[in-house]
Amino acid sequence: MQVAIALYDRFTVLDAIGPYQVLSELPGVDVVLTAQRHGPVTDERGGAAVSAVATFDEVPRPDIVIVPGGPGQVDHMAPGPLPDWLVAVDQSTRWTAGVCTGVLILAAAGLLEDREATTYWLAKEELARLGVKPRNDRYVFDGKYATSAGVSAGIDMALALAARIAGDDAAMAAQLGIEYDPQPPFNAGSPATAPAALVTAKRAASRFRAPAQ
Amino acid sequence: MQVAIALYDRFTVLDAIGPYQVLSELPGVDVVLTAQRHGPVTDERGGAAVSAVATFDEVPRPDIVIVPGGPGQVDHMAPGPLPDWLVAVDQSTRWTAGVCTGVLILAAAGLLEDREATTYWLAKEELARLGVKPRNDRYVFDGKYATSAGVSAGIDMALALAARIAGDDAAMAAQLGIEYDPQPPFNAGSPATAPAALVTAKRAASRFRAPAQ
């Protein structure tokens, strides 16, 4: 089984590497990092470059496609090599998935029309504007479309996807393999639990429009 | 503040990228991916190559150094470029850290002598043989040495480290930034919670020796 994860300039590296690590734990699964060109693709911070080992053209029929988020997402909200490839491979995928603001790319490409999905907490209103029903869940499956909340949520989505493609035992083996027994030192990982002042400050600094009052 | 994360052949990519993503959320923190040579360094699965932007020689005095784990760890348990550099930079670091079996590299280099530390669940006995007191914690701080359990635990350790270097508010902002509100679909991420048969099978297949009966 082939899983393609798309990379693009200014992606969020954990969005891509979380699902990569989980799914590459599964026997018989080949995870291919793809991009418009071969070679290093630089993340949003400029400090991490991950190599694409295949171009989009070289991966025409992946069983699963996953698109990460990141500030560079804004460059792929209209037809172009990445969204065009997503639409093309979606014709034959078993699962089409987005992490964080990568979900906006799927939505803008028309792949999530009238579906339920989740995305980065600051991008929910943007997702609604794109004709998708936003849900406040860690990950959402609607038909063959899998979507996750921000960045680290791609790990949870990938484990849920692992169960669907390889069974619960294989998914649990992957979880134990990466010792995913999370114990964050704070409970600030969602706008529902983080200090209100922090949520307000993040909203004010966000590149997404605030919700209507 | 400069954070250096060391890469080496057959490292586990999430071990490095988890802390990279967390710490690069902090204002004024520069996270530098280092290796023996510039350019792509390939992970244990062969599917992900992350670029080193600096050689060890080019980063002589990082404030924080972090070494990830992975099967390639076995190649760095005796003097050589990576452990020699870790010992050299440790002279002036504020924090020296290891994720997963990266902790074994620190231990073999003599940096954790008589200290308490944690590591990948399958490597606890190996850690004890290296003169370190293993603890069954998600992450451990002993003096300026920070260590974490396997793979994904580097995220939790990095958040705890973020609090120590930048304060609780900055750490919580980083956590909200990566929406780290983990909700794994299974509770199989530690040998204490995973199905016993799965733990037994993983132990049997492990490259580390089983604990004495």
Side-chain angles (χ1 to χ4, degrees):
Chain A
M1 172 172 296
Q2 188 184 51
V3 178
I5 300 180
L7 306 179
Y8 53 85
D9 255 18
R10 298 192 297 133
F11 74 114
T12 297
V13 62
L14 185 55
D15 289 27
I17 293 302
Y20 169 87
Q21 192 73 58
V22 169
L23 297 174
S24 63
E25 287 272 329
L26 300 176
V29 170
D30 182 32
V31 187
V32 184
L33 300 178
T34 63
Q36 201 176 340
R37 280 174 288 275
H38 285 249
V41 182
T42 302
D43 83 320
E44 59 176 320
R45 304 288 176 191
V50 178
S51 298
V53 297
T55 64
F56 296 142
D57 289 346
E58 290 167 351
V59 184
R61 292 179 67 88
D63 299 287
I64 299 176
V65 67
I66 302 176
V67 60
Q73 150 266 325
V74 296
D75 299 332
H76 304 285
M77 300 291 282
L82 171 57
D84 293 354
W85 176 72
L86 291 170
V87 168
V89 299
D90 179 69
Q91 299 290 319
S92 52
T93 53
R94 280 178 59 188
W95 297 96
T96 294
V99 175
C100 194
T101 56
V103 178
L104 300 179
I105 298 176
L106 295 178
L111 296 176
L112 300 178
E113 211 164 323
D114 293 325
R115 291 197 179 266
E116 299 194 332
T118 188
T119 184
Y120 191 46
W121 64 278
L122 283 166
K124 294 273 168 75
E125 294 80 18
E126 185 76 12
L127 188 61
R129 273 189 289 271
L130 292 165
V132 181
K133 298 171 196 149
R135 271 178 40 192
N136 288 324
D137 290 297
R138 187 75 177 154
Y139 51 84
V140 171
F141 287 83
D142 185 350
K144 74 169 191 177
Y145 297 92
T147 56
S148 89
V151 195
S152 61
I155 297 171
D156 296 320
M157 181 193 77
L159 284 167
L161 197 52
R164 281 162 172 80
I165 63 179
D168 288 2
D169 285 352
M172 287 192 283
Q175 186 181 359
L176 184 57
I178 65 165
E179 204 165 344
Y180 185 49
D181 174 34
Q183 296 171 33
F186 303 99
N187 186 19
S190 111
T193 62
L198 176 56
V199 174
T200 303
K202 286 259 184 203
R203 278 208 188 277
S206 169
R207 64 191 176 95
F208 296 105
R209 275 183 288 171
Q213 298 300 310
Chain B
M1 172 174 296
Q2 187 185 51
V3 178
I5 300 179
L7 306 179
Y8 54 85
D9 255 19
R10 297 192 298 134
F11 73 115
T12 297
V13 61
L14 185 55
D15 288 29
I17 293 302
Y20 169 87
Q21 191 73 58
V22 169
L23 297 173
S24 64
E25 287 272 330
L26 300 176
V29 170
D30 181 32
V31 187
V32 183
L33 301 178
T34 63
Q36 201 177 339
R37 281 174 288 275
H38 286 248
V41 182
T42 303
D43 82 320
E44 59 177 319
R45 304 288 177 193
V50 178
S51 298
V53 297
T55 64
F56 295 143
D57 289 347
E58 289 167 350
V59 184
R61 291 179 67 86
D63 300 286
I64 299 175
V65 68
I66 303 176
V67 60
Q73 151 265 325
V74 296
D75 299 332
H76 303 285
M77 299 291 282
L82 171 57
D84 293 356
W85 176 72
L86 291 170
V87 168
V89 300
D90 179 69
Q91 299 290 318
S92 52
T93 53
R94 281 177 60 187
W95 298 96
T96 293
V99 175
C100 194
T101 56
V103 179
L104 300 180
I105 298 177
L106 296 178
L111 296 175
L112 300 178
E113 211 164 324
D114 292 326
R115 292 198 179 266
E116 299 195 331
T118 189
T119 184
Y120 191 47
W121 65 278
L122 283 166
K124 293 275 169 73
E125 294 81 18
E126 185 77 11
L127 188 61
R129 273 189 288 272
L130 292 165
V132 180
K133 298 170 196 149
R135 272 179 39 193
N136 288 324
D137 290 296
R138 188 75 177 153
Y139 52 84
V140 171
F141 286 83
D142 184 350
K144 73 169 191 177
Y145 298 92
T147 55
S148 89
V151 195
S152 60
I155 297 172
D156 296 320
M157 181 192 77
L159 283 167
L161 198 52
R164 281 164 172 79
I165 64 178
D168 287 1
D169 284 352
M172 287 192 283
Q175 186 181 358
L176 184 57
I178 65 165
E179 204 164 345
Y180 185 49
D181 176 32
Q183 296 171 35
F186 302 99
N187 186 18
S190 111
T193 61
L198 175 57
V199 175
T200 302
K202 285 260 184 203
R203 277 207 188 276
S206 168
R207 64 192 175 94
F208 296 105
R209 274 182 287 170
Q213 297 301 311

